[in-house]
């Protein structure tokens, strides 16, 4: 798997589709998951002529996994995405982010809007979901931090289990539960004590075209957050998924929406009209 160095840390990525395509799309995974979760979507988008890059953010997947919590934050993750574009010598790309990846895409757009052609923001975690996130991830944080002596032998045993014969999403789940708990704890603590996303006053200034995907009945990914974000972004629009599983298990409708949005973002933009200067004689 190819990789590059960013701030002294190795970040792993994979390329899919035609390498010479001018249409680059970067897929960003969810919290404590890896780029593997986006392989089906990467294959679909690559088949439609896009150059697709899947990235493991620091502390995830095949990238380095330091145990220093100060190395992890949403803003640092956003910088890693821009670092990937620099490494690939890509002037502009379209970002597709899920959950953690959705917020990272917002950070990249806030930091370097000129590098983004568009964004697909699936299940952002913003104001409404903060309490639910704290409650949901508190047991995981406690288990990976203080319970590491107990959980580490369990995760090592799970990591040694064979993957053959497992369905794709079973393999993704097994990867998730078999991680070394120490880096996972550092990731959770780092993002907990940093900002979760750019402030809404900054979000309202992001001109990048955005397709926001949300679904109901999930307090961690509140649909109201998705709706609020679509209203805040000057060029945002909202579509509703039937559930968190739709893009994973019945993806045709949403991948069609995503592909159409990507096509729209890569259409040639009209040249700005030259301003005509006039001289007023008295």
């Amino acid at each position: 798997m190819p990789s590059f160095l960013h701030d002294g840390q190795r970040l792993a990525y994979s390329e899919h589709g035609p390498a010479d395509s001018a249409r680059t799309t970067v897929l960003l995974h969810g919290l404590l998951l890896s780029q593997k979760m986006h392989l089906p979507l990467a294959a679909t988008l690559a088949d439609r002529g896009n150059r697709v890059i899947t990235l493991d953010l620091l502390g995830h997947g095949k990238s380095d996994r330091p145990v220093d919590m100060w190395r992890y934050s949403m803003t640092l993750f956003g910088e890693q995405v821009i670092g990937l574009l620099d490494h690939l010598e890509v002037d502009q790309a379209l970002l597709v982010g899920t959950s953690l990846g959705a917020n990272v895409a917002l950070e990249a757009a806030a930091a370097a809007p000129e590098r983004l052609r568009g964004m697909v923001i699936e299940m952002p975690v913003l104001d409404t979901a903060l309490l639910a996130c704290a409650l949901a991830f508190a047991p995981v944080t406690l288990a990976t931090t203080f319970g590491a002596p107990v959980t580490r032998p369990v995760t090592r045993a799970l990591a040694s289990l064979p993957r053959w014969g497992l369905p794709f999403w079973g393999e993704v789940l097994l990867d998730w539960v078999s991680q070394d708990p120490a880096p996972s704890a550092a990731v959770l603590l780092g993002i907990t004590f940093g900002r979760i996303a750019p402030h809404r006053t900054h979000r309202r200034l992001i001109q990048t075209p955005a397709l926001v995907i949300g679904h109901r009945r999930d307090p961690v990914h509140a649909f109201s957050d998705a709706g609020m974000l679509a209203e805040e972004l000057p060029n945002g629009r909202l579509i509703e998924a039937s559930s968190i599983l739709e893009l994973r298990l019945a993806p045709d409708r949403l991948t069609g929406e995503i592909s159409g949005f990507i096509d729209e973002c890569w259409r040639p933009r009209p040249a700005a009209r030259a301003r005509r200067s006039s001289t007023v004689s008295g």
Side-chain angles (χ1 to χ4, degrees), residues 141-150:
T141 305
L142 290 173
T144 54
T145 304
F146 300 106
V150 175

Side-chain angles (χ1 to χ4, degrees), residues 3-23:
S3 63
F4 70 102
L5 286 179
H6 179 83
D7 197 21
Q9 301 293 314
R10 187 184 64 86
L11 302 180
Y13 66 94
S14 297
E15 298 197 43
H16 313 263
D20 59 349
S21 174
R23 297 159 44 118

Side-chain angles (χ1 to χ4, degrees), residues 25 38 46 60 77 84 98 101 135 142 165 171 205 210 242 254 258:
T25 297
H38 277 317
H60 296 79
F77 287 147
L84 172 67
T98 299
L135 295 174
L142 290 173
E171 186 176 340
L205 300 176
S242 61
L254 291 179
I258 292 170

Side-chain angles (χ1 to χ4, degrees), residues 48-224:
R48 301 190 184 195
N50 299 284
R51 180 191 186 191
V52 182
I53 313 297
T54 55
L55 172 68
D56 282 330
L57 296 165
L58 188 68
H60 296 79
K62 300 296 184 182
S63 292
D64 284 349
R65 306 187 70 216
V67 296
D68 312 298
M69 62 172 286
W70 58 266
R71 293 187 180 274
Y72 301 105
S73 72
M74 292 296 184
T75 53
L76 291 176
F77 287 147
E79 292 174 8
Q80 291 165 24
V81 175
I82 303 304
L84 172 67
L85 301 186
D86 291 340
H87 169 73
L88 297 173
E89 298 181 342
V90 171
D91 291 333
Q92 284 191 319
L94 189 142
L95 305 184
V96 179
T98 299
S99 190
L100 170 77
N103 289 43
V104 172
L106 289 173
E107 291 288 0
E114 73 283 357
R115 304 298 297 275
L116 271 60
R117 193 76 179 192
M119 305 182 291
V120 177
I121 305 293
E122 186 198 10
M123 302 187 302
V125 179
L126 300 174
D127 307 30
T128 307
L130 291 182
L131 178 58
C133 284
L135 295 174
F137 289 110
V140 180
T141 305
L142 290 173
T144 54
T145 304
F146 300 106
V150 175
T151 58
R152 184 170 286 111
V154 175
T155 58
R156 287 176 177 169
L158 291 171
S160 67
L161 293 177
R163 267 47 173 180
W164 55 267
L166 284 176
F168 175 77
W169 289 107
E171 186 176 340
V172 171
L173 179 61
L174 184 56
D175 288 346
W176 182 70
V177 298
S178 61
Q179 300 178 76
D180 184 342
S184 298
V187 171
L188 291 168
L189 290 171
I191 64 174
T192 297
F193 290 100
R195 76 178 190 181
I196 197 68
H199 191 269
R200 62 178 54 195
T201 57
H202 297 153
R203 299 196 295 259
R204 292 191 179 106
L205 300 176
I206 297 175
Q207 297 291 328
T208 306
L211 179 67
V212 183
I213 303 174
H215 65 273
R216 303 181 190 274
R217 298 180 296 277
D218 178 357
V220 175
H221 305 102
F223 186 70
S224 56

Side-chain angles (χ1 to χ4, degrees), residues 40 169 241-256:
W169 289 107
S242 61
S243 73
I244 193 174
L245 298 176
E246 182 178 356
L247 188 55
R248 274 86 242 172
L249 302 182
D252 289 351
R253 180 180 74 94
L254 291 179
T255 52

